[in-house]
């Protein structure tokens, strides 16, 4: 069984500043992927970034980057130069070798002008 | 069009009612999922279908009954629900079940059981 824990129910950040969302996971799989999805008020989940467990290099997508610490089973998301459009619920997720995607409870990001 | 469409967007039903949630994907995917999203809880994976066959059923009560008539459509039939079943139900699809698969989500159905 896989579990994902997001310990921050809500994070607030000012525009143009940086915020980091934490995520820890547990898995017995050797082959897995980690994901961050964003859920804006429209409720539709959108993929933000993904990381293959075998890759040591941290994934980056424009203003979004991850800090993947495999030994610690930690997968945090950093949002740089925050924008008002980044306000959303962010979910950390993990897939197993069968492709089943499990998520954490989410972190609400509030962006203030 | 978003690629994954869920209807209805909102549903209020009594505990004795029978209703169905519908999900349709236009992405050519062959795997589909139902998730339950309750406040302050992890998204719960309820059912997974691959090539129209159910491959996962995470101990979901029998008052939830999924149906996948073809690779483009997924239903969740509801009957004799409880108030604690009120939640956002999300449908997703993916191109196969692989470790690196990206799931595409619909906008969900907000269900309220009264």
């Amino acid at each position: 069984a896989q579990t994902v824990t997001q310990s921050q129910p809500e994070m607030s950040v000012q525009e143009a500043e940086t915020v980091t969302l934490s995520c820890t996971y547990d898995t017995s799989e050797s082959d897995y992927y980690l994901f961050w999805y964003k859920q804006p008020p429209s409720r539709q989940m959108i993929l933000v970034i993904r990381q293959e467990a075998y890759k040591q290099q941290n994934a980056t997508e424009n203003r979004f980057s991850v800090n993947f610490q495999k030994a610690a089973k930690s997968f945090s998301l950093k949002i740089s130069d925050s924008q008002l459009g980044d306000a959303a619920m962010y979910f950390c997720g993990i897939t197993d070798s069968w492709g089943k995607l499990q998520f954490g409870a989410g972190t609400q990001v509030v962006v203030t002008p | 069009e978003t690629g994954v469409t869920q209807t209805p967007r909102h549903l209020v039903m009594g505990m004795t009612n029978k209703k169905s949630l519908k999900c349709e994907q236009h992405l050519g995917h062959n795997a589909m999922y139902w998730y339950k999203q309750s406040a302050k809880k992890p998204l719960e994976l309820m059912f997974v279908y691959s090539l129209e066959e159910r491959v996962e059923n995470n101990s979901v009560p029998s008052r939830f009954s999924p149906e996948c008539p073809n690779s483009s459509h997924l239903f969740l039939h509801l009957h004799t629900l409880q108030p604690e079943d009120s939640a956002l139900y999300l449908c997703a699809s993916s191109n196969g079940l692989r470790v690196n698969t990206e799931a595409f989500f619909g906008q969900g159905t907000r269900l309220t059981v009264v």
Side-chain angles (χ1 to χ4, degrees):
Chain A
Q2 303 184 110
T3 59
V4 179
T5 302
Q6 294 179 252
S7 59
Q8 305 153 317
E10 183 173 306
M11 294 287 285
S12 186
V13 60
Q14 280 193 314
E15 264 187 300
E17 298 297 310
T18 296
V19 64
T20 299
L21 312 183
S22 66
C23 173
T24 58
Y25 63 93
D26 194 20
T27 182
S28 57
E29 301 275 340
S30 59
D31 186 18
Y32 57 91
Y33 267 68
L34 295 159
F35 298 81
W36 278 98
Y37 278 80
K38 167 185 176 180
Q39 186 182 42
S42 68
R43 307 188 318 209
Q44 187 173 21
M45 302 262 283
I46 303 164
L47 178 66
V48 174
I49 196 166
R50 64 178 141 186
Q51 172 83 39
E52 183 178 1
Y54 278 112
K55 286 190 175 177
Q56 291 187 333
Q57 186 174 4
N58 290 323
T60 298
E61 287 286 342
N62 300 315
R63 298 180 294 106
F64 298 88
S65 61
V66 300
N67 183 5
F68 176 43
Q69 301 290 326
K70 191 172 183 178
K73 294 184 177 177
S74 170
F75 183 61
S76 61
L77 175 70
K78 185 170 79 172
I79 306 174
S80 304
D81 186 25
S82 297
Q83 300 174 0
L84 292 176
D86 294 333
M89 183 75 86
Y90 286 79
F91 290 93
C92 178
I94 184 171
T95 53
D96 61 16
S97 54
W98 294 97
K100 288 178 290 182
L101 180 55
Q102 303 275 9
F103 291 99
T107 297
Q108 182 70 48
V109 171
V110 176
V111 182
T112 56
Chain B
E1 195 158 281
T2 61
V4 180
T5 304
Q6 289 187 244
T7 54
R9 293 291 306 277
H10 301 272
L11 177 63
V12 178
M13 61 185 287
M15 289 189 282
T16 58
N17 291 158
K18 289 184 180 182
K19 297 286 184 183
S20 295
L21 310 185
K22 179 183 176 182
C23 176
E24 185 174 0
Q25 59 96 1
H26 312 277
L27 301 168
H29 291 164
N30 55 20
M32 297 187 78
Y33 315 73
W34 280 116
Y35 285 89
K36 176 184 178 182
Q37 182 178 3
S38 305
K40 300 181 182 176
K41 294 171 100 174
L43 266 74
E44 298 173 46
L45 178 61
M46 300 175 72
F47 300 104
V48 180
Y49 276 82
S50 177
L51 297 172
E52 299 145 49
E53 287 193 18
R54 190 189 308 180
V55 297
E56 180 79 12
N57 175 1
N58 276 343
S59 302
V60 178
S62 59
R63 57 185 184 268
F64 295 92
S65 175
E67 179 190 2
C68 188
N70 55 62
S71 60
S72 298
H73 294 87
L74 183 66
F75 295 89
L76 188 62
H77 303 300
L78 316 170
H79 65 96
T80 58
L81 293 191
Q82 304 298 310
E84 60 264 28
D85 296 322
S86 298
L88 180 68
Y89 288 84
L90 291 168
C91 173
S93 70
S94 66
N95 188 16
L97 286 180
R98 299 186 304 275
V99 66
N100 63 342
T101 193
E102 176 185 351
F104 291 79
F105 286 81
Q107 291 179 289
T109 295
R110 173 71 65 188
L111 174 67
T112 303
V113 181
V114 297

